[in-house]
Every structure is written in structure tokens, then in C-alpha cells.
């Protein structure tokens, strides 16, 4: 995680997570920017909605995730939410949610 927060390999981690869950995965870590993998299977998704949701989480406001988010794992550092990795709704079949959540948590 330290390497990711230092900017090394976030895009690759998101790509591997997308392959593992066989669906579009997005990650938002404001300090590093945004990475999106396999997003072509999620038409109409706006990264701005994921950024806005993360901003609310960072400010400790309980808000539901965007509709396109099927499963998510929050990235925490010292008890603070610093990012999120999310499986997005796809046009094809989705993986089982329990399996997807485990892969996102590991990402």
C-alpha cells in the first residue's frame, strides 16, 4: 500500500483487480489522481460521481455510493479514508459479489 500511496503502480493494481473480478474497476486516490481499468464495459459512468462520493466519505458524511458501484473497498491510512476501489456495473455478466469484494479489498 505504501508504494501505491507514493504513486507507484496504481494503474497496474486497478488493471489486475479488473481482470480478477472480470469487470470494470475504478480507483480514486485524490493524492495520486484517478485510474480506471476496463471502463469500456460501463457506458455512461462518470468518474466525477466517484470523486464526489469519495469526498463525502473523506468528510465522514454517510452517503450511498453512485448507482454504478456494485462493490467497493475503501483505502484507509491511519484511520482516514484516502481512496476507494470500486467494481462498476458492467454490460456483461457480473462476478459473485463476495468474490468481487475480496479482490477489491486485496487491491
Amino acid at each position: 500500500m505504501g508504494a501505491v500511496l507514493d504513486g507507484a503502480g496504481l494503474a497496474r493494481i486497478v488493471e489486475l483487480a479488473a481482470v480478477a473480478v472480470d469487470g470494470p474497476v475504478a480507483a480514486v486516490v485524490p493524492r495520486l489522481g484517478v485510474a480506471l481499468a476496463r471502463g469500456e464495459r460501463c457506458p455512461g459512468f462518470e468518474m466525477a460521481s466517484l470523486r464526489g462520493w469519495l469526498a463525502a466519505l473523506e468528510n465522514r458524511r454517510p452517503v450511498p455510493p453512485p448507482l454504478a458501484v456494485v462493490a467497493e473497498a475503501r483505502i484507509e491510512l491511519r484511520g482516514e479514508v484516502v481512496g476507494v476501489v470500486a467494481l462498476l456495473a458492467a454490460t456483461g455478466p457480473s462476478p459473485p459479489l463476495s468474490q468481487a469484494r475480496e479482490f477489491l479489498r486485496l487491491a
Side-chain angles (χ1 to χ4, degrees), residues 26-28 34-36 39 42-54 65-69 84 86 88-89:
V28 177
V34 175
L36 178 64
C42 186
F45 176 72
E46 297 290 331
M47 287 300 291
S49 65
L50 202 57
R51 286 187 197 102
W53 177 52
L54 177 59
L67 292 176
V69 174
V84 68
L88 306 175

Side-chain angles (χ1 to χ4, degrees), residues 6-95:
D6 288 337
L10 179 62
R12 180 69 177 141
I13 289 171
V14 171
E15 182 182 337
L16 291 172
V19 169
V21 299
D22 192 27
V25 173
V28 177
V29 181
R31 186 172 144 178
L32 303 178
V34 175
L36 178 64
R38 311 222 23 208
E40 70 277 0
R41 291 180 52 199
C42 186
F45 176 72
E46 297 290 331
M47 287 300 291
S49 65
L50 202 57
R51 286 187 197 102
W53 177 52
L54 177 59
L57 294 176
E58 289 176 323
N59 291 318
R60 300 179 191 265
R61 291 190 320 239
V63 294
L67 292 176
V69 174
V70 175
E72 49 96 3
R74 296 171 188 182
I75 302 168
E76 295 187 13
L77 181 65
R78 298 183 192 108
E80 298 291 324
V81 176
V82 296
V84 68
V85 180
L87 170 64
L88 306 175
T91 56
S94 296

